[in-house]
Amino acid sequence: MESLMKLFSLEGETALVTGGTRGIGQAMAIALAEAGADIVLVQRDPHDTRTKAQIETAGRKCTIYQRDLSSNTDVVTLVSDILADGHDITILLNCAGIQHRSPSAQFADEDWSRVLQVNLTSVFTLCRDVGAHMLQRNPDSTGRRGTIINIASLLSFQGGLTVPAYAASKGGVAQLTKALSNEWAGKGINVNAIAPGYIDTDMNDALMKDEVRAKSIMERIPAGRWGKPDDFKGVVIWLAGRGSAYVSGEVITVDGGWMGR
Ligand code: NDP
């Protein structure tokens, strides 16, 4: 039993989490804390302490860094600031993301740039800077230096409808995950992505209000329901810990069976 617990315990770890204020990222940040990790949250509004409070209720430390991921100048100083404050990041969870819907023929340049910056460029910048830090860390007895988890999408595989920037960014997240894994898996850093299916969060408000599309999506999900943020707690703990030591470069769909259809 003790050895089983070691596969999933995150005691002594520190996780840097983006997108932790709500939705999937909030559930995953709390799950990492419940498994024993201290959490560093990156968020636009430092006064939103709802996730921090739940992490502290779980008995873990939580520090908030204020950054807007749509500004690359905000992102490039982030990791050095966190490290300078003495946090030793061993888990990186890139969950922040935005959607913008518009027919492609009218899709504005600024919307394209904003979606690509938040969903893909900031993910690269944080992977690069946290990866560089992890490579300097002494490996543990299993050779592990750290773990990176990016949040992809079904639109890493499929094109979607009227969401060209989102599909391009999430396709990029999947490819970036594999590219980094190829360089770093042999150096003790596993890099994986989780691709959520259709999940009941603020991001899907517009989709859920569109009765025709909401019905056709629901009919295609073998599990017979939309996903919930809590559906991501188990998979993130597994990927963050030693239980997934030989898993890297994967994009794991958590979609109620959608991709099997
Ligand atoms: P939500 O819209 O519920 O939450 C988005 C999160 O990203 C919030 O924490 C938000 O912070 C943060 N964020 C957005 N823009 C910025 C920014 N400029 N700077 C800092 N933080 C920012 O999204 P979900 O929980 O639904 O999605 C989480 C991830 O899962 C995303 O990457 C999304 O693309 C992906 N995903 C979601 C699916 C779904 O069906 N819901 C399906 C497939 C993938 P704030 O509170 O400040 O806005």
Side-chain angles (χ1 to χ4, degrees), residues 18-25 42-45 48 67-70 94-98 118-119 151-154 166 170 195-204 226:
T18 71
T21 55
R22 45 201 175 91
I24 298 169
V42 178
Q43 54 187 66
R44 290 186 278 201
D45 177 4
D48 180 352
R67 288 293 195 284
D68 184 340
L69 300 174
S70 68
N94 281 306
C95 186
I98 53 172
V118 174
N119 291 8
I151 301 306
S153 167
L154 294 182
Y166 186 85
K170 291 299 185 176
Y198 286 88
I199 315 303
D200 183 356
T201 66
D202 298 344
M203 184 174 277
N204 282 326
W226 284 60

Side-chain angles (χ1 to χ4, degrees), residues 127-137 184 189:
C127 285
R128 180 192 63 198
D129 294 351
V130 172
H133 160 69
M134 288 173 174
L135 288 169
Q136 302 296 321
R137 297 184 73 250
W184 294 343
I189 306 170

Side-chain angles (χ1 to χ4, degrees), residues 47-156:
H47 304 295
D48 180 352
T49 54
R50 286 171 296 180
T51 305
K52 182 178 196 286
Q54 291 190 66
I55 289 164
E56 288 170 350
T57 299
R60 309 312 316 177
K61 290 192 202 120
C62 179
T63 315
I64 294 175
Y65 284 78
Q66 179 183 15
R67 288 293 195 284
D68 184 340
L69 300 174
S70 68
S71 153
N72 205 40
T73 46
D74 255 27
V75 185
V76 288
T77 53
L78 175 61
V79 175
S80 57
D81 285 356
I82 295 170
L83 297 175
D85 290 341
H87 301 283
D88 177 18
I89 306 163
T90 57
I91 299 163
L92 170 63
L93 171 60
N94 281 306
C95 186
I98 53 172
Q99 179 57 288
H100 183 81
R101 294 177 187 279
S102 165
S104 295
Q106 284 86 45
F107 210 94
D109 286 348
E110 55 269 30
D111 294 325
W112 172 271
S113 299
R114 192 168 41 89
V115 172
L116 268 289
Q117 165 60 34
V118 174
N119 291 8
L120 181 58
T121 305
S122 81
V123 173
F124 169 67
T125 308
L126 293 182
C127 285
R128 180 192 63 198
D129 294 351
V130 172
H133 160 69
M134 288 173 174
L135 288 169
Q136 302 296 321
R137 297 184 73 250
N138 289 326
D140 70 10
S141 59
T142 67
R144 178 177 183 273
R145 288 190 159 92
T147 304
I148 296 177
I149 303 164
N150 296 322
I151 301 306
S153 167
L154 294 182
L155 299 200
S156 298

